[in-house]
Amino acid sequence: MRRRLLALVTAVAIGVGVPIALASPAQAWTGGNVWINFGSWNCPSGGSVVGVYWAVDNYSSGPAEGDWGDNVIYPPVRVGSGAYNTISYQLFCKKWGWYQYQGVVSQRDLTPYQSGLSYTY
């Protein structure tokens, strides 16, 4: 009885393993970078974007002090097949040459198929 049960379990294990072994492997993503431009429409009280705090999932993040001086970032992201990224960001805006305030706080999903692409939000 015990031998039959062992033979049955072995046969089932082999039968289940065959389709798994024949399945083609999924293509994996690789690391790359994309350009992300933040438009002035993200500044609800007018002005233009001058600073960005950002992070891409648990994959990468900007400098702790933020990325200042313009409205463009070039974050490391996952690129290619299965490349799903969620970028979280907080923007800072400048108006009247001196007045600076917090702009948009948001998240966007990115699925770049190659490095070097450009996104505008």
Side-chain angles (χ1 to χ4, degrees):
M1 172 89 166
R2 203 170 162 174
R3 238 183 218 171
R4 285 184 185 176
L5 182 59
L6 183 59
L8 178 63
V9 170
T10 304
V12 169
I14 291 172
V16 170
V18 170
I20 293 171
L22 297 177
S24 62
Q27 291 182 329
W29 55 267
T30 60
N33 294 73
V34 295
W35 294 100
I36 301 178
N37 307 286
F38 297 99
S40 59
W41 54 86
N42 289 296
C43 297
S45 296
S48 58
V49 177
V50 294
V52 182
Y53 284 101
W54 61 269
V56 178
D57 304 320
N58 60 354
Y59 186 71
S60 66
S61 64
E65 66 277 1
D67 185 317
W68 293 88
D70 61 18
N71 64 330
V72 180
I73 60 174
Y74 191 61
V77 295
R78 298 171 193 92
V79 176
S81 179
Y84 299 103
N85 305 276
T86 298
I87 181 164
S88 304
Y89 56 90
Q90 178 179 18
L91 305 178
F92 286 83
C93 301
K94 190 171 188 177
K95 177 177 171 178
W96 301 316
W98 58 272
Y99 177 66
Q100 194 167 299
Y101 67 96
Q102 181 179 330
V104 173
V105 176
S106 191
Q107 289 184 326
R108 298 289 181 127
D109 292 327
L110 301 171
T111 55
Y113 60 89
Q114 68 182 24
S115 191
L117 295 177
S118 181
Y119 296 86
T120 300
Y121 299 128

